[in-house]
Amino acid sequence: MSERLKTNWVSWTTPGSYTWVVPVNVKWIKCIIISGGGGGGGGSSAYGGGGGGSSAVSYGIIPVNPGESVTINVGVGGAGGTGGSSPTAGGIGGSSSISFSDNTVIFVSSANGGGAGTSSAGGAGGSGSSCTWYAYRPIFVSVQNGASGYAGSSSGGGNGGYPYLLNAFLSGFNQATFGIGGGGTGGGLNANGQNGQNGIVLIWWEE
């Protein structure tokens, strides 16, 4: 009877830049990368703001060298726009990425914020993000592009692009279930837009 492999993992959920060193005897890793969602636009007295776009999600399988330094970037959710007499658009979400010593990079771009409502029209929904990669070693990458937010209307703000529910059945993994990388809802009449959700980078491996 063969021995079952042990699965280990590490995740980064707080926006920022980090360095992770590949453990001893680890030669392959798997990863999920999600950037920050765009913020919702602020609403005017007549029309609501547009919802922010959501992040793309990228899944990768990558060969690594034990002791190799890996750079991790986690994107922050874009700030919601201000509502009122001079409403503002939602902020752009921050990008997330994972990069390696030979300049191999998987990069999930920023999701756009929703537009501000005006006196004559609702704010446009922000566009969702996409993924690019630069491969100097053999890698496998699968991508789902982010969703655009919905436009605001005279009755309220538009919904943001959908968030991701990361169902990772890893021992001790404690990611909140409310979602990751979603766009903020646009502000209603004279109301502020919501912030976009932060991104995540999750790495796991077997040994």
Side-chain angles (χ1 to χ4, degrees):
M1 181 176 178
S2 61
E3 183 179 354
R4 183 178 178 182
L5 293 173
K6 179 184 177 182
T7 300
N8 296 291
W9 62 271
V10 62
S11 69
W12 296 264
T13 57
T14 301
S17 182
Y18 307 89
T19 299
W20 178 69
V21 178
V22 177
V24 176
N25 297 326
V26 175
K27 297 182 178 180
W28 290 87
I29 61 170
K30 302 171 185 178
C31 63
I32 289 176
I33 306 169
I34 299 173
S35 68
S44 71
S45 61
Y47 286 90
S54 69
S55 169
V57 58
S58 179
Y59 167 77
I61 302 175
I62 306 156
V64 293
N65 296 309
E68 178 180 3
S69 292
V70 179
T71 300
I72 307 295
N73 285 294
V74 178
V76 65
T82 301
S85 58
S86 299
T88 61
I92 296 173
S95 60
S96 294
S97 64
I98 180 170
S99 56
F100 301 86
S101 57
D102 63 351
N103 295 320
T104 291
V105 179
I106 302 176
F107 179 85
V108 179
S109 66
S110 304
N112 287 316
T118 70
S119 60
S120 58
S127 58
S129 72
S130 60
C131 175
T132 57
W133 57 90
Y134 306 93
Y136 298 97
R137 65 180 77 183
I139 66 174
F140 169 84
V141 181
S142 178
V143 178
Q144 178 181 326
N145 287 333
S148 295
Y150 291 85
S153 68
S154 58
S155 60
N159 290 329
Y162 54 77
Y164 296 96
L165 301 177
L166 185 53
N167 296 317
F169 297 95
L170 301 171
S171 176
F173 185 76
N174 191 30
Q175 174 61 37
T177 58
F178 57 80
I180 306 163
T185 300
L189 305 186
N190 285 320
N192 298 338
Q194 293 182 352
N195 296 338
Q197 293 176 329
N198 296 336
I200 188 174
V201 174
L202 170 65
I203 292 174
W204 71 103
W205 65 95
E206 294 85 22
E207 60 182 10

